[in-house]
Amino acid sequence: MNVGIRHLLAHDGVHVLVLTHDVRLAEGTLSRLGNAAAGAPTFGILAPELFHRPGEPFSYGGVVEPGGRVRHLKRPARAGTPGIGECDWADGAALLLNRRMLEQVGLFEERFFIYCEDADLALRGTQWGWRVGTVRDAVAFQHRASGSARRLRLT
């Protein structure tokens, strides 16, 4: 992903939208993400609420538990900013990344393969004062993975 992000950062965009191959955005999601980003410039990462299918939530962002274990929130995160539920990290399936945050903290850590690069980027961002959140009523759908459950730790 970093190759594409570097290409986009060589131009004048304010945000970079990152999507995995198996994610689909619900109608209006892109505009809701953009509007939220415009109204909340302290957020380095914004994400839609992620579902496997309607009525089956997958992630409303994530938290880092004591000891470094990461887990998805299965209910909307607390809303500190209107329309945005704050969290520790957001699933990398669909992310709107603030250019200034990327320039300050760097891109995805390439030593991570498949998992935890999203949580790592968010944690590095929050160390610099950036916030992370999911945008209410911005919805994306991701095909349910058939692999193992995410039981990983950041160390």
Side-chain angles (χ1 to χ4, degrees):
M1 277 194 263
N2 286 342
V3 171
I5 293 171
R6 282 186 195 97
H7 175 77
L8 291 171
L9 291 177
H11 298 83
D12 293 330
V14 177
H15 293 92
V16 174
L17 179 66
V18 176
L19 302 171
T20 59
H21 71 285
D22 60 346
V23 80
R24 302 294 177 262
L25 301 180
E27 186 173 336
T29 291
L30 194 53
S31 63
R32 288 182 184 102
L33 287 171
N35 290 339
T42 60
F43 280 83
I45 300 174
L46 288 171
E49 297 174 335
L50 195 57
F51 289 77
H52 288 302
R53 63 178 147 244
E56 188 181 339
F58 172 59
S59 182
Y60 291 94
V63 295
V64 179
E65 297 177 334
R69 183 175 178 190
V70 294
R71 72 173 171 84
H72 290 276
L73 294 171
K74 299 299 183 181
R75 294 190 176 110
R78 68 189 185 282
T81 299
I84 301 173
E86 292 197 49
C87 51
D88 294 336
W89 60 277
D91 190 277
L95 299 172
L96 187 65
L97 306 173
N98 182 300
R99 174 195 190 98
R100 288 187 357 222
M101 183 202 69
L102 292 171
E103 291 172 341
Q104 192 171 37
V105 306
L107 306 182
F108 288 107
E109 175 54 64
E110 294 183 3
R111 291 178 296 169
F112 292 121
F113 179 72
I114 300 178
Y115 296 117
C116 289
E117 70 277 9
D118 44 13
D120 172 72
L121 181 64
L123 293 175
R124 285 187 284 128
T126 59
Q127 289 173 342
W128 283 86
W130 293 98
R131 296 160 72 191
V132 179
T134 56
V135 177
R136 297 281 167 30
D137 298 323
V139 174
F141 297 96
Q142 184 181 36
H143 179 70
R144 182 186 293 271
S146 60
S148 63
R150 188 179 203 169
R151 295 183 187 263
L152 303 169
R153 294 182 192 277
L154 290 175
T155 58

